[in-house]
Each structure stands twice: as C-alpha cells, then as structure tokens.
C-alpha cells in the first residue's frame, strides 16, 4: 500500500490577535492577498500535493471559512442568469469536485498541537499533511507540500519545511539541528529548539508552517503537556517523535511570506501584484508616486 499522504489538516482556530480589530469578525485566513483569501492559496497547495480530504480545524466563530467553500446558490444563479461565466467559474472553483472538506471544531484555543490532535478522528491511521495558511508559499513549480509529500514517501519519514532565517531572528522560530543529508533538500533532524537566542541556536534553519507527519504523532500529542504559553505545542510532540523515527528537515523550493503579520501580508500582496502582468505597471507607478 502506498504511504502517500492524502489528507491535509488546516489548523485555523487561532485567535489572530496580530490582526485585531479586523480579526474580531473576520478569520485571519480569510484576509485577502489580491483577490483570494489566504486559505485558498493553502487549499490549492494541498490539492497540488494530491490531497483528496481537507480537514479544517476551526472554532465556533469561523463560519466564514465553511461558507467560502460551500455552494453559494443565490450568487451562482445570478451570475449564470447574467452570463458571467468567468466569475461563475471562480465562485465554483474554490474546491475541486474530487476533494472533500471536513470541518472539526477545536473547542478552546489550546495550541497548535491540540488543534492538530482535534483532527485525529478524521485522519485515522495514515500519514497526513499540515498547512498553516498564514505562511503563504509562492512558487512556479510544484507546491511546497507536494515536494514534501514526495520526500516523505521516498524516505518513509516525517518531513518538516525549513528555511534559512537571519541569525538575529532565530528567537521567532523553531530551529532544527540536522545530521545525515539524505538528498539535496532533505536532512535528518537530530533535535529542535523552540525560539532560541542566536547564541543558543544550533543552526539558522527555521521551521515554517508545513509538515508531513505519521499518525503516531497523535499518541505523542495525547501525552504532551502544555508547554510555552500554556499551549500544547506541536514542536514538543515532534521532539518525542524524533526518538522513534526519522524526521527530515526539508528546504522547499519557493518563496515564503509570513502573512501572520502586517508587513508580511503587504509583502505578499506586492509580490503577487508584481507577478501579474496586468497589475504590475500600475503598481510600480503607485510605488514611484509614494517615494
Ligand atoms: P499563531 O501562533 O499564528 O496564532 O498560530 P494565531 O492565533 O493564529 O495568531 P496571533 O499570533 O494571535 O496573531 C499558528 C497556527 O495555529 C493555529 C492558528 O490558527 C494558526 O494557523 N492555531 C493556534 C489553532 O488552530 N489553534 C490554537 O489553539 C492555536
């Protein structure tokens, strides 16, 4: 049986405090980069990786995410009546037909690890992906998660996305130490340190929001006690996983934008606008005018 991941978990039950007051009423994952919400980029990435089941871990305030992927009867019939085929295709194309969306509630924001654990009944006993939609990864080729799923299958290992971060920024990331190099992009993780000061960091490889994990992580999460900030941390469970099987740090091909903060969202918006031949000239003009 193939051990390729087919299910992807989107933990979207956080409070999104860095975008208050907008996130009082709008889920952070629904913030748009140009004309699409962050969650759409994440879903496209998962579908590109071959996922057929998407599991959204939400809270009771985040109906907008379910609404967004649901059928919009009134809007669709109005667009059809008016012959607006292109818009209709956009509205209907948020989720491909062969992909199903499952919504699971995280009753309390007890941390990323806890959010992932909430998906256990749907994931069952197979490897699965995790995407944090506020890390937006743009690339021309195959999606970052797709690259990682290949590595997970090839090496029969857990895989965590990493990228080089500036030395003075290590305190904002989980930092990994690596040993054996498996191939050009993958190396075995020997240990992880959560948000170390630069002088304590074992490398400058920071963990970003993409994981391919084996189902046994759930047992480890069950046993994980609340760590920093009183939250159940995914990193703590991965530390335990390292004792049982190999987990690879994977340097993905692509450019990541941390859209969990204002500047990152602005950067991502500018980057995508400048890649769009229709928008780019006007955006340059606007930027010139602001100098
Ligand atoms: P963040 O650390 O970015 O927290 O969570 P946040 O609440 O989204 O945003 P800020 O820091 O308050 O502005 C990382 C990811 O984990 C999810 C978040 O939705 C985000 O995708 N998460 C976090 C949960 O689903 N549940 C939690 O209890 C905590």
């Amino acid at each position: 049986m193939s051990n390729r991941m087919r299910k992807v978990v989107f933990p979207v039950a956080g409070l999104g405090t860095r975008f208050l007051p907008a996130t009082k009423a709008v889920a952070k994952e629904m913030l748009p980069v140009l004309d699409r919400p962050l969650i759409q980029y994440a879903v496209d990435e998962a579908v590109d990786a071959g996922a057929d089941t998407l599991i959204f871990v939400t809270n009771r305030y985040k109906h907008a995410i379910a609404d967004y992927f649901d059928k919009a009867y009134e809007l669709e019939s109005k667009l059809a009546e008016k012959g607006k085929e292109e818009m209709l295709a956009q509205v209907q194309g948020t989720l491909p037909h062969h992909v199903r969306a499952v919504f699971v509630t995280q009753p309390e924001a007890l941390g990323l690890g806890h959010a992932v654990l909430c998906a256990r009944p749907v994931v069952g006993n197979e490897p699965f992906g995790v995407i944090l939609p506020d890390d937006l990864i743009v690339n021309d080729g195959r999606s970052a998660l797709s690259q990682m799923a290949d590595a997970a299958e090839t090496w029969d290992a857990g895989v965590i996305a990493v990228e080089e971060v500036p030395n003075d920024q290590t305190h904002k990331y989980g930092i990994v130490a690596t040993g054996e190099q498996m191939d050009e992009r993958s190396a075995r993780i020997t240990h992880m340190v959560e948000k170390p000061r630069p002088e304590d960091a074992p490398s400058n490889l920071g963990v970003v929001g993409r994981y391919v994990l084996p189902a046994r992580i759930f047992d480890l999460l069950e046993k994980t006690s609340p760590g920093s900030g009183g939250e159940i941390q995914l990193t703590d469970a991965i530390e335990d996983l390292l004792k049982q099987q190999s987990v690879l740090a994977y340097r993905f091909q692509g450019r990541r934008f941390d859209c969990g903060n204002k500047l990152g969202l602005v950067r991502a918006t500018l980057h995508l606008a400048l890649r769009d031949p229709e928008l780019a000239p006007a955006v340059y003009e606007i930027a010139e005018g602001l100098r």
Side-chain angles (χ1 to χ4, degrees), residues 11-18 28-29 57 106 108-112 115 132-134 231 260:
V12 291
L15 301 176
T17 53
R18 281 170 290 172
K28 174 170 75 170
E29 298 76 19
V57 182
Q106 184 187 24
E108 244 184 294
L110 295 177
L112 174 59
L132 307 189
D134 49 5
E231 298 194 332

Side-chain angles (χ1 to χ4, degrees), residues 40 51 122 133 136 195 211 219 261 279:
Q40 181 74 64
V122 187
L136 170 59
K195 303 190 167 78
Y211 308 80
D219 282 340
N261 70 73
L279 293 176

